[in-house]
Amino acid sequence: MQEYISFVNMLDTTSFIARLKTILNHHELSSASFADLIHVQRSSISHLLNGRNKPSLEFIMKINDAFKEVDLQWLLYGEGEYPNKNLDHNKKSNERSNTNAVTKPIQKKNIERIIIFYTDGTFKKYEEQ
């Protein structure tokens, strides 16, 4: 337990968050889809990105497991490059096929109706004709 506390205190959280955002941008993931992908609560991503919480070792390892191109030295300390081209690309391509099941393609939706509720309890409804 003492080792974990020392590790979290040594981590520059602001830089870690910047690197986490790099991963999200690189894979075009929202924080919600990223949370679903690494199997953590969506609120934990929000708290982390807002600087409220520090990443746990378990959280970091979940990122490492889900994204094989992420080098731990880069993720933790910013050393090296992202994506790490020296890591096994076959493992990553297998994982990407699994991630496609989590991220759904965006489908065009049509608006059927809009309802505006007013503070006095009345409303106005607009429907497509």
Side-chain angles (χ1 to χ4, degrees):
M1 182 66 149
Q2 187 67 12
E3 291 175 17
Y4 170 72
I5 293 170
S6 298
F7 165 76
V8 171
N9 290 335
M10 292 184 336
L11 184 65
D12 178 4
T13 307
T14 304
S15 298
F16 177 84
I17 292 169
R19 289 188 289 277
L20 181 60
K21 287 179 181 179
T22 299
I23 296 169
L24 293 173
N25 291 335
H26 179 78
H27 290 280
E28 298 177 353
L29 295 171
S30 67
S31 59
S33 60
F34 180 77
D36 294 343
L37 186 65
I38 65 170
H39 307 290
V40 298
Q41 291 183 357
R42 292 176 178 189
S43 61
S44 66
I45 301 293
S46 175
H47 293 166
L48 183 65
L49 292 174
N50 292 322
R52 180 175 172 189
N53 293 348
K54 292 187 176 192
S56 67
L57 183 56
E58 179 183 4
F59 177 82
I60 291 167
M61 295 312 296
K62 285 183 177 194
I63 294 171
N64 187 57
D65 291 342
F67 299 94
K68 293 301 180 194
E69 77 279 6
V70 174
D71 180 54
L72 273 177
Q73 292 297 316
W74 174 82
L75 183 60
L76 297 173
Y77 308 111
E79 298 172 2
E81 62 180 28
Y82 176 78
N84 188 341
K85 295 171 180 67
N86 296 326
L87 296 176
D88 187 1
H89 293 287
N90 291 332
K91 287 182 183 178
K92 186 58 191 167
S93 61
N94 288 340
E95 287 195 14
R96 280 203 179 144
S97 64
N98 293 337
T99 60
N100 288 338
V102 174
T103 56
K104 298 176 184 174
I106 298 173
Q107 297 177 350
K108 184 177 178 182
K109 298 180 180 182
N110 294 323
I111 297 173
E112 182 179 313
R113 70 179 152 233
I114 299 173
I115 302 173
I116 300 174
F117 294 94
Y118 297 98
T119 55
D120 65 357
T122 61
F123 65 93
K124 192 164 206 165
K125 182 166 50 169
Y126 299 92
E127 294 192 50
E128 184 177 338
Q129 306 225 0

